[in-house]
Amino acid sequence: MEIQELNDLSPLRVFDESLGGGLGRGNLGVLVSRHGVGKTACLVHLATDKLLRGEHVIHVSFSGNVEHVINWYKEVFREVSEGRSLDDAASVYNNILSNRVVMNFSQENVTIEKVLSSLETLIKHGSFKADAILFDGYKLTIATEDDVKKIKQFAQSMNLEVWFSVSPVRADVVYDKYGVPNTMHKYVDLIDVLIGLIYNEERDKVVMTAVKAHGEMVEKPMGVSLDPKTMLISK
């Protein structure tokens, strides 16, 4: 299978369609759930889809384990390419690596201003024209609203989209039926897309619900789910 056909058949086309055409430049999107549901894998699948379509991605990890992130990319690409019998997969993977940068920061020790400054330097002076930035493991639920506004302003000024994977920090949080913790509520007006992930034992799938999409509280199924066996987004 050629890359174009792979992209056309990707479940990410359904994902984008459910959001009215995707997240879009200048916007913030959040994948949120309990710990261990598969948000990082979901984020990496989103990034891999972008890379296969020729886009440039910066993956910003706040977990302290860059090797873990890189291994996720290898595994997700392997599952995607083998599942569709992609032609010359090894060569394709090596080619898309030049369009991906992985960075690592400690949220406790580095201010968001420093993170954004480093990203701006890479994009403007490092000649890396990013289309999307993925904040993996960023503790959004304890960030200040001002910090989130700064990230939003950065996305708009740099004309790129920003995705977050978010798990709550506090142990006493209450989750709604979509897997969204109550500690997310105060940030809802600051983000453009909010997707809740929750494991459904009967279906053996991680159900994905678009809780908010571009200004509207829609609370609708996305037409895709996360397969706990492959950790890929699937129809």
Side-chain angles (χ1 to χ4, degrees):
M1 181 179 290
E2 298 288 339
I3 290 180
Q4 184 59 54
E5 187 179 2
L6 178 78
N7 290 334
D8 291 344
L9 293 173
S10 171
L12 272 300
R13 303 291 73 75
V14 178
F15 180 97
D16 288 342
E17 185 179 338
S18 70
L19 299 176
L23 177 57
R25 294 175 184 270
N27 295 321
L28 305 186
V30 174
L31 302 166
V32 65
S33 74
R34 298 174 184 268
H35 288 279
V37 171
K39 292 180 301 300
T40 293
C42 189
L43 207 62
V44 170
H45 195 178
L46 286 174
T48 299
D49 181 74
K50 291 179 181 299
L51 292 168
L52 287 167
R53 288 186 289 137
E55 296 186 30
H56 292 66
V57 172
I58 303 174
H59 190 119
V60 184
S61 172
F62 292 87
S63 68
N65 190 342
V66 172
E67 192 63 33
H68 175 70
V69 172
I70 291 172
N71 286 337
W72 264 122
Y73 274 91
K74 292 177 181 176
E75 183 61 23
V76 166
F77 180 84
R78 186 187 66 78
E79 290 281 356
V80 169
S81 60
E82 290 183 0
R84 294 290 188 181
S85 300
L86 177 65
D87 296 342
D88 201 9
S91 177
V92 170
Y93 183 72
N94 288 331
N95 287 336
I96 67 174
L97 286 182
S98 62
N99 291 350
R100 184 204 70 196
V101 171
V102 178
M103 303 176 74
N104 182 255
F105 294 97
S106 166
Q107 189 171 347
E108 288 73 21
N109 300 322
V110 180
T111 64
I112 195 61
E113 290 87 354
K114 175 63 176 173
V115 173
L116 297 178
S117 175
S118 297
L119 289 168
E120 184 173 358
T121 298
L122 172 63
I123 295 168
K124 287 187 173 180
H125 305 297
S127 299
F128 189 84
K129 304 302 181 185
D131 298 290
I133 297 176
L134 302 98
F135 279 54
D136 183 16
Y138 184 72
K139 296 171 184 171
L140 184 65
T141 57
I142 61 170
T144 67
E145 292 175 59
D146 192 47
D147 281 350
V148 180
K149 289 177 182 176
K150 289 174 182 175
I151 298 171
K152 172 75 170 180
Q153 289 165 358
F154 180 82
Q156 293 174 333
S157 66
M158 301 301 287
N159 192 34
L160 46 77
E161 63 181 52
V162 176
W163 280 100
F164 296 84
S165 66
V166 177
S167 293
V169 176
R170 289 165 37 191
D172 60 342
V173 298
V174 177
Y175 296 87
D176 67 15
K177 60 183 177 181
Y178 305 119
V180 178
N182 58 345
T183 47
M184 273 297 303
H185 292 170
K186 70 176 182 178
Y187 304 98
V188 168
D189 290 340
L190 301 174
I191 60 180
D192 302 283
V193 168
L194 176 63
I195 298 172
L197 288 80
I198 190 165
Y199 178 68
N200 183 301
E201 188 172 357
E202 185 177 324
R203 294 174 55 190
D204 191 26
K205 297 282 187 182
V206 176
V207 177
M208 303 177 71
T209 303
V211 178
K212 180 181 180 181
H214 300 296
E216 294 185 37
M217 302 303 291
V218 291
E219 300 183 4
K220 67 174 184 179
M222 296 194 66
V224 292
S225 56
L226 194 66
D227 187 331
K229 297 181 181 66
T230 63
M231 299 307 285
L232 293 181
I233 297 170
S234 59
K235 294 179 184 178

